[in-house]
Amino acid sequence: MLSLRPLLPVLLAVVLAGPAGTTLPARAADAVADGIETSRTGRQIAPGIRLESYDRLEADRWLRIDELRVELGGSGGVRAEYLGGHGPATVGDTAARHRAGPGRRVVAAVNGDFFDIRGTGAPLGPGLGGGKLLHSAASGPGAAPAVGFGADGTGRVLRIGLDGSVTLPGGAVRPLIGYNAARPASGGLSAYTADHPGAQLPAVGIAVPVRDGRVTAAAASVRGPARRRRPAPGTTLLTAPAGGASAAELAALRPGDAVAVAARALPDAGPVPAAAVGGREALVVAGIPQDHDGEPNNAAAPRTAVGFSRDGRRLRILTVDGRQRDSGGLTLTELGRMMHRLGAYEALNLDGGGSSTLLAALSGATALTLENSPSDGRQRPVPNGLVLTAPAGSGRTTGYRIEPAGSSAEDLTRVFPGLTRTLTATGYDALLGPAPEAPVWSADGAGTVDAAGVFHAVRAGRATAHARRATAHGALPLQVLGPLTRIRPTPARIGLAEPGEKAGFRLIGYDAQGAAAVVEPRDVALEFDRSRWNVTEDGRGGFTVTALVPRATGRLHATVRAATVRAAAVRGAAAVRGATAVSGPSVDIPLGVGLETLPLADLADAAAWTGPGAVPAEGHAGAGLALDLPRAAGRASAAAPRPLPVPELARSLTLWVGGDGSGARPAVELTDADGAAVTVSGPVADWTGWREVTLVLPATAQPPLTVTRLSAKAGSGPGRVVLDTLGARTPPTGPAAEPVVRDPIVATGAGVRAKPWRFAVEPPGGSRAGDGDAGADFVLTGADGPEFVHRGVRFLPLDTTEPTLGGGGLHRMRALRKALAATAREPATGALAVVRAHAPVTVDRKETALTAQLLAEFRRTTGKRAAVITLGAPGFTAGRSEGVLSVAAPRTGRTVVGVDAFAPADWLAVRPAS
């Protein structure tokens, strides 16, 4: 999923004032010194707690980071507490059940310790809650790393061991080796109680229950480790490995025998914390970031970290997304440097990977919101974590948080004249806690708001929606765009596999300048076959389509109900007079249900597939491709003679596989829309003869996908597989309707010559003359030259030969920011033109989106013009998005562009190559 957080004024200030980081506060500037911070959002969670979320572009990856900044032990009354229960659960579910105590509420939560993921599900480190030891480390009574919080609220990184004993009848005292530990000690006594945080107890040898200081049942004879039930509250289960001296002592106990079990936390220094959660690697020690290079856990991955200031009063909780195209994660060494830059004097690494999860409250909300993007695509069940609680507040409304109803994935603060936007107002008290009083709505500027909180746009311009109750007030700025000119569905087609399956879509509208906004369902009329499909509003600004039959195709016709409004200026809450609802833009959305197999390659051209171990062979039906695997675990592969595009809605691939019983495993290798590698593997071919296998495409792969190679991995010995007839299982929707939009900047030769001056674009080797029928001042043949200014336009060539995640994106963004700043401060420069070569693989989608967003922000804030000129494109196109013009010049012919950098309307006129 493409993620690009909204740009904030602080980022815009960076763009317009100079190179990256020059206007940020000193610490923030230091924190982003190695890369570029591309966007940032922030909000207050509660007094003393703030969430900062930001994206960064490094030389080799994108990063998406969420950071909780917490003041501990201060007037805000914030506390960090142990979060956990009986067995793994998602952080969200566990936080919803957490008892914050009288007069307090849960405001944030994060995952905690590493855990026995393939066994008991219990944490591997120590844990304390309410000043009580809940579990010791899995490795025995020795001290293990943890983050702890004292009774005064302050925190520290420490090591916590187990100080435990068992007093047997007659007074003999034995050490307690483990207490609710994830794994039993190899020797000695361990104890388990109802506080055990795992899904189940570990397999233990002999076990004796103790309650109120007395044995309640004799030990059953055992020969080896066995699973035990979780003890009831108040009962302690003493265990020992079978066959040792400790087992013999437990076996000698009888019901009624007096046995005392004591267990307490033993910190390496200082008082016992009131709450603590285990971790693993030290990231910052005494103000020095640690070097973990060469260690096994030092690969780039999703991360969760906790750090403290030197006095323990400032807490930093950080999650970094990873294993995603939008965020590559950090190594431990990099994470330590980042925590140090953010002010941590001590920091500890908590569990990462798919466990990394951060939730925080919205003002006035009763439930927490997931802030990061877990790499599993959903929250992973984990055994424990940290939860932040704060005073609950009075419940009396002091303000309102207003937001558009719908998904946060789109900017819903925009709307078109004559259309609507549904708003919600959530009341909050002085401590940002829930306050349920309903507001009275009003609006000023370019629209009105009705009593239900629905904003009605009247005319292009700015508007502000207000929610009030007595002295409580909230406001939301809104932008009414120009009149709606066209709509586009996203996705463009809906393909479903079977009856009952659902899929969603939204309608995105555009004005004449290419500014976009979601069109809400209330403003749309739908026409479709109701016997085959059910279409409903999804409550988030879009629609849900449900298949009713097993196999069908069709089209859904969507028309905007009211696309224009005639109205005089409206003030306050006055009614809109003279409004006329007319039929607006429409679009058809192809629908399909059922799966059909579309051929991708019959492998009749097997001889053209080249690679180690690849040879033509007799296939299932005609020619086939054999992959010879000469040794155990060896690989063979064959590159396709040409890329094979996969239908965009394909769910899976099919492949005929001829096996010889050797256990080889075939695979299909693809690239996604960003050029990233995707491999889908088939089953182990332990059969002899032919079978058709299905290879499911991962839902996280970004379409369109392209097959590049077929491969196989050998089993335990040499072998051969023969492959034939590759297909794709796809819903039968038919093509999407793409409206032809001719942008006004596409002009005749006369229109181009009407501009004050001209330049031309042509492929390398063409004429460099500045004359001819175009009368061009100069000719662009590449994007590798220096930056220059010509007659009011700053031209910025950006070299696109280096991949975004190979350093190219970082270099290009730095150059773009510098050019934006220079253009903004030069009175004689009215426009910036970015010049780049067509490079859809090396320049990824996120860099392209960021470039467009920076140029759009520049245009809106400075009033100057912006354009992107792409050289060597497959064909000619011209258009605009958010007022930024775009021209793609083809690989052949000469494209001539007329220019007026200070024109009141379109500043470019383009004559396509002939």
Side-chain angles (χ1 to χ4, degrees):
M1 179 179 67
L2 178 66
S3 171
L4 194 63
R5 305 182 201 264
L7 292 174
L8 290 185
V10 64
L11 174 60
L12 186 59
V14 175
V15 172
L16 299 184
T22 55
T23 64
L24 291 173
R27 172 150 301 167
D30 187 35
V32 298
D34 296 334
I36 291 179
E37 184 176 305
T38 60
S39 60
R40 178 180 287 264
T41 61
R43 71 173 190 267
Q44 200 71 22
I45 304 302
I49 308 178
R50 183 169 179 82
L51 174 69
E52 293 287 329
S53 301
Y54 42 99
D55 289 2
R56 285 162 50 88
L57 174 59
E58 305 288 341
D60 60 347
R61 76 198 80 169
W62 293 94
L63 290 176
R64 193 167 51 228
I65 302 164
D66 294 281
E67 175 195 352
L68 279 174
R69 301 179 176 184
V70 186
E71 299 296 324
L72 296 170
S75 58
V78 178
R79 296 179 194 163
E81 303 171 10
Y82 182 95
L83 178 68
H86 296 158
T90 66
V91 176
D93 288 345
T94 308
R97 296 192 298 265
H98 184 78
R99 297 179 180 178
R104 299 189 67 79
R105 65 188 182 98
V106 171
V107 294
V110 69
N111 70 287
D113 201 356
F114 293 81
F115 61 101
D116 186 15
I117 193 169
R118 294 179 179 84
T120 63
L124 299 177
L128 286 83
K132 171 186 173 183
L133 178 66
L134 301 176
H135 53 87
S136 65
S139 56
V147 290
F149 301 86
D152 64 350
T154 58
R156 70 189 197 270
V157 176
L158 72 164
R159 298 183 70 86
I160 299 176
L162 171 63
D163 180 12
S165 63
V166 178
T167 304
L168 299 171
V173 180
R174 302 289 182 257
L176 191 64
I177 305 301
Y179 184 76
N180 283 329
R183 298 164 186 162
S186 58
L189 298 171
S190 295
Y192 293 93
T193 73
D195 288 330
H196 178 67
Q200 57 186 354
L201 298 188
V204 297
I206 192 168
V208 173
V210 177
R211 188 179 182 90
D212 297 328
R214 298 287 177 178
V215 175
T216 61
S221 60
V222 295
R223 294 184 177 180
R227 296 286 182 190
R228 307 288 177 171
R229 296 181 61 183
R230 183 189 301 274
T235 296
T236 299
L237 194 67
L238 279 177
T239 71
S246 297
E249 290 182 315
L250 290 186
L253 296 175
R254 294 294 177 264
D257 284 353
V259 174
V261 180
R264 70 183 186 91
L266 184 64
D268 57 352
V272 175
V277 167
R280 186 179 289 174
E281 295 90 355
L283 300 173
V284 184
V285 177
I288 300 175
Q290 301 299 290
D291 186 352
H292 292 275
D293 288 354
E295 297 179 13
N297 192 30
N298 198 43
R303 298 291 181 183
T304 301
V306 174
F308 302 97
S309 60
R310 188 166 190 168
D311 61 5
R313 295 188 177 277
R314 291 185 297 280
L315 165 67
R316 294 290 182 268
I317 299 176
L318 194 78
T319 58
V320 182
D321 293 337
R323 298 174 186 162
Q324 302 170 53
R325 188 68 175 176
D326 283 353
S327 189
L330 290 177
T331 67
L332 290 173
T333 300
E334 292 165 340
L335 183 63
R337 291 171 182 166
M338 179 172 286
M339 293 298 291
H340 178 255
R341 289 168 182 159
L342 294 173
Y345 185 75
E346 304 279 349
L348 185 68
N349 180 50
L350 302 187
D351 191 13
S355 299
S356 286
T357 309
L358 178 67
L359 297 103
L362 293 163
S363 54
T366 57
L368 303 184
T369 299
L370 178 64
E371 299 296 339
N372 74 317
S373 296
S375 62
D376 289 352
R378 61 187 181 279
Q379 293 187 53
R380 173 187 289 179
V382 296
N384 68 359
L386 285 172
V387 62
L388 300 180
T389 68
S394 65
R396 294 189 296 272
T397 307
T398 60
Y400 286 96
R401 172 173 51 86
I402 306 178
E403 57 187 358
S407 168
S408 60
E410 302 282 353
D411 181 2
L412 297 176
T413 62
R414 295 168 151 201
V415 63
F416 295 100
L419 304 187
T420 60
R421 184 67 70 229
T422 303
L423 307 178
T424 63
T426 304
Y428 56 85
D429 61 22
L431 299 184
L432 304 183
E437 288 184 297
V440 175
W441 288 95
S442 64
D444 52 45
T448 65
V449 176
D450 63 24
V454 178
F455 176 77
H456 299 262
V458 176
R459 63 182 184 279
R462 298 286 179 176
T464 303
H466 302 274
R468 291 185 172 89
R469 171 69 66 177
T471 59
H473 174 245
L476 178 69
L478 297 162
Q479 181 184 8
V480 182
L481 302 174
L484 179 66
T485 60
R486 60 186 176 93
I487 57 174
R488 176 181 62 85
T490 177
R493 297 180 293 161
I494 301 292
L496 304 168
E498 58 188 4
E501 185 174 323
K502 302 176 185 292
F505 73 92
R506 288 183 154 209
L507 291 174
I508 309 298
Y510 299 87
D511 67 10
Q513 289 299 318
V518 171
V519 178
E520 286 198 13
R522 69 156 46 86
D523 295 324
V524 177
L526 301 178
E527 299 175 31
F528 57 94
D529 187 341
R530 298 179 186 273
S531 68
R532 297 181 172 189
W533 325 94
N534 184 38
V535 183
T536 58
E537 298 182 18
D538 64 8
R540 301 185 302 276
F543 301 86
T544 299
V545 179
T546 306
L548 302 179
V549 295
R551 187 170 182 83
T553 59
R555 301 184 87 80
L556 182 151
H557 186 73
T559 304
V560 177
R561 297 180 193 273
T564 60
V565 169
R566 296 198 312 270
V570 177
R571 296 291 182 266
V576 179
R577 294 182 176 86
T580 301
V582 298
S583 178
S586 64
V587 69
D588 284 334
I589 305 170
L591 305 175
V593 60
L595 295 176
E596 61 184 16
T597 301
L598 300 179
L600 299 182
D602 60 9
L603 295 182
D605 59 348
W609 291 67
T610 58
V615 293
E618 183 178 353
H620 176 254
L625 175 67
L627 297 177
D628 289 324
L629 301 152
R631 63 183 186 279
R635 298 191 69 88
S637 66
R642 62 191 176 283
L644 302 175
V646 178
E648 191 165 344
L649 298 182
R651 303 297 185 86
S652 60
L653 303 178
T654 59
L655 183 66
W656 279 95
V657 178
D660 63 356
S662 65
R665 189 171 190 179
V668 180
E669 300 178 21
L670 312 96
T671 57
D672 69 5
D674 293 322
V678 177
T679 300
V680 289
S681 298
V684 172
D686 53 5
W687 61 84
T688 300
W690 287 95
R691 289 186 188 178
E692 187 178 36
V693 302
T694 299
L695 304 88
V696 178
L697 294 168
T700 54
Q702 178 65 38
L705 302 175
T706 302
V707 174
T708 58
R709 186 178 294 270
L710 299 178
S711 63
K713 181 178 180 180
S716 57
R720 163 182 271 210
V721 292
V722 184
L723 309 177
D724 195 1
T725 313
L726 177 67
R729 297 282 287 165
T730 307
T733 64
E738 290 292 339
V740 177
V741 179
R742 182 180 174 91
D743 195 275
I745 66 172
V746 180
T748 63
V752 171
R753 288 191 295 272
K755 295 293 185 182
W757 65 277
R758 289 159 297 289
F759 69 92
V761 182
E762 62 184 29
S767 171
R768 299 290 295 175
D771 49 15
D773 62 345
D777 285 21
F778 57 84
V779 178
L780 290 175
T781 60
D784 53 356
E787 182 177 348
F788 64 96
V789 177
H790 183 80
R791 299 181 68 173
V793 181
R794 177 175 291 273
F795 286 84
L796 174 66
L798 291 180
D799 181 4
T800 55
T801 58
E802 195 174 12
T804 298
L805 302 186
L810 190 58
H811 300 325
R812 289 187 287 270
M813 284 301 104
R814 284 175 171 158
L816 177 58
R817 286 181 165 189
K818 183 178 179 181
L820 287 168
T823 308
R825 63 174 175 259
E826 293 170 348
T829 305
L832 173 67
V834 173
V835 182
R836 64 186 184 188
H838 180 70
V841 175
T842 56
V843 180
D844 71 18
R845 294 173 301 114
K846 197 165 181 179
E847 182 187 342
T848 299
L850 178 59
T851 300
Q853 192 169 350
L854 288 170
L855 291 172
E857 286 286 337
F858 164 80
R859 181 182 177 276
R860 283 194 292 269
T861 55
T862 66
K864 296 189 176 186
R865 285 82 173 148
V868 176
I869 300 169
T870 303
L871 312 180
F876 172 82
T877 60
R880 68 190 70 206
S881 175
E882 305 295 334
V884 178
L885 304 181
S886 62
V887 177
R891 297 167 184 155
T892 59
R894 168 181 276 208
T895 301
V896 183
V897 183
V899 185
D900 183 352
F902 300 95
D906 288 337
W907 64 285
L908 295 181
V910 184
R911 190 193 71 187
S914 56

